[in-house]
Amino acid sequence: MFKERILHSNHRRILIMFSLLTVMVTAAFSGGAWWQGNEEDVIATVNGSPIHVEEFQRAIRLNKSAIMNYFRDQHHADQSETFWTTSFDGEIPIEMLKKKALDDCVRLKVRLLQAKDLGILQDISYPGFLRQLQQENHRRAQAIKNRQVVYGPERYDVDTYLEYLLTNSTLAVKQHLQQNALKQGESSLRLFYEEHKDQRYRTRGYVTLQRISRTILDSNHQIDPALEQKVKRLLEEAHARLLSGASFEDVAAAYAAPGTELELTIDLGDERRNARSPVAQAAAKLSVQEMSQIIEDNGSLHLLKCIERVEPDSAYLAYEQVKDQVLQDYVNGEYETRIHEMTASAQVVRHDKLYQSFQM
């Protein structure tokens, strides 16, 4: 079995965390009645659930820069008093902006509707959301006044509180999907692994090394030039003995610092970490049984010998190695599929008079 450093999540810890989030989000939305607003306050409904005009305006604000950049890049359009209503090869900025904003509102509402269908959220109306925001900020202010611990910001604004609720409700929905997946056994997960292993579960590659290392730092953790020269001579002797056929174990016993880890595996896919490590950079160039020159890294001198090398994408990671990642990928895929299907089949009724009259 190929070696690969995989961070395994603890299922029990994840389930406990998601359960707490579910309780927390449900409590945040409980007590609010389904809002029936005035027609002039609603720009559209999604399966009967209203999109408040303030939700639409928020989406307009978040998408405005992207639409402006699009017309600048695609049509070389400059800002002017008539920019938003001018047709550029049949594309009108204000119409594109309104469509994108409404599409975003529909997708957001679908996410909330799915959470509501599972009993995670109770009131998903915008006025209900604003009430909960006000109550949460009041709770935080009182806690601060009473010198109690408050996690996160002292006060939420609309955007940060919405993101907080969306994140937590999404995690709670995914917890539900994960529990269903685990109840079904591993057959679905193994099938998912087989279907996606070419794209997701190939090895990132690694190099396994033997190494002899010695520090060159003094008692003040500064490089000692005299010690550096002494250690360099020792490693040169070790290098010569290895080239002459001596076993690595014998040479390491004579030259490596006591307690030094003699074997090291470098993950070739960890580009960020490897870019900061001369040892990793040298290891990436070694072939099996090849030795490096003497390398300085992190206050020590190192002599490396490659004993195993697996190239990136040359093999699949075994299911047992990545089953936690497979579960996470499966749940994320199920969630996105549900959102896509619910969005595609959603009955969206637009308040055309309000929508068409909207101006920048």
Side-chain angles (χ1 to χ4, degrees), residues 13 39 61 67 86 97 145 177 187-188 211 224 302:
R13 184 178 300 170
E39 184 180 356
R61 171 172 55 82
I67 298 299
T86 299
L97 176 59
K145 182 179 179 180
L177 297 176
S187 58
S188 296
R211 65 172 175 175
D224 183 335
H302 307 266

Side-chain angles (χ1 to χ4, degrees), residues 57-227:
Q57 289 170 338
R58 174 182 176 273
I60 288 285
R61 171 172 55 82
L62 293 178
N63 283 287
K64 182 178 177 181
S65 293
I67 298 299
M68 292 169 64
N69 291 337
Y70 170 83
F71 279 89
R72 181 196 63 200
D73 296 339
Q74 298 297 318
H75 300 287
H76 307 290
D78 296 324
Q79 293 302 300
S80 67
E81 292 184 0
T82 59
F83 166 77
W84 290 104
T85 56
T86 299
S87 175
F88 298 92
D89 296 332
E91 294 185 312
I92 303 174
I94 186 62
E95 296 304 322
M96 182 178 290
L97 176 59
K98 290 193 295 185
K99 183 180 185 307
K100 180 64 168 63
L102 186 58
D103 288 346
D104 286 356
C105 288
V106 170
R107 180 176 171 82
L108 186 151
K109 193 65 68 172
V110 164
R111 291 176 62 183
L112 297 176
L113 281 167
Q114 180 171 224
K116 184 176 184 295
D117 289 344
L118 294 174
I120 295 166
L121 302 180
Q122 302 301 318
D123 181 1
I124 62 171
S125 71
Y126 191 69
F129 162 78
L130 293 179
R131 285 195 299 272
Q132 296 301 326
L133 170 60
Q134 183 180 22
Q135 292 170 7
E136 177 62 19
N137 282 334
H138 177 72
R139 184 192 70 79
R140 287 172 174 268
Q142 289 298 114
I144 292 170
K145 182 179 179 180
N146 295 331
R147 298 185 178 181
Q148 298 173 342
V149 176
V150 173
Y151 296 100
E154 293 184 5
R155 181 179 180 83
Y156 282 110
D157 60 25
V158 168
D159 288 341
T160 55
Y161 191 61
L162 180 59
E163 186 61 33
Y164 165 77
L165 290 176
L166 279 174
T167 298
N168 289 343
S169 61
T170 298
L171 287 174
V173 171
K174 289 183 178 181
Q175 178 219 1
H176 174 83
L177 297 176
Q178 178 174 299
Q179 290 173 334
N180 286 345
L182 293 174
K183 288 178 182 178
Q184 295 170 9
E186 288 193 293
S187 58
S188 296
L189 299 180
R190 287 185 178 275
L191 178 60
F192 182 89
Y193 165 81
E194 291 296 333
E195 291 175 346
H196 295 88
K197 65 181 183 180
D198 278 336
Q199 296 79 29
R200 301 188 183 191
Y201 307 119
R202 288 182 177 271
T203 178
R204 303 200 304 179
Y206 63 87
V207 176
T208 303
L209 307 166
Q210 292 175 320
R211 65 172 175 175
I212 298 173
S213 303
R214 295 188 75 98
T215 184
I216 56 175
L217 300 180
D218 60 20
S219 59
N220 295 319
H221 301 288
Q222 301 296 318
I223 292 179
D224 183 335
L227 180 59

Side-chain angles (χ1 to χ4, degrees), residues 8-19 175 178-179 182 186 189 319 322-328:
H8 292 284
S9 60
N10 186 299
H11 282 164
R12 184 177 180 184
R13 184 178 300 170
I14 291 175
L15 290 175
I16 291 173
M17 179 187 73
F18 281 162
S19 296
Q175 178 219 1
Q178 178 174 299
Q179 290 173 334
L182 293 174
E186 288 193 293
L189 299 180
Y319 171 78
V322 293
K323 62 181 181 179
D324 289 335
Q325 185 63 49
V326 172
L327 176 60
Q328 180 179 329

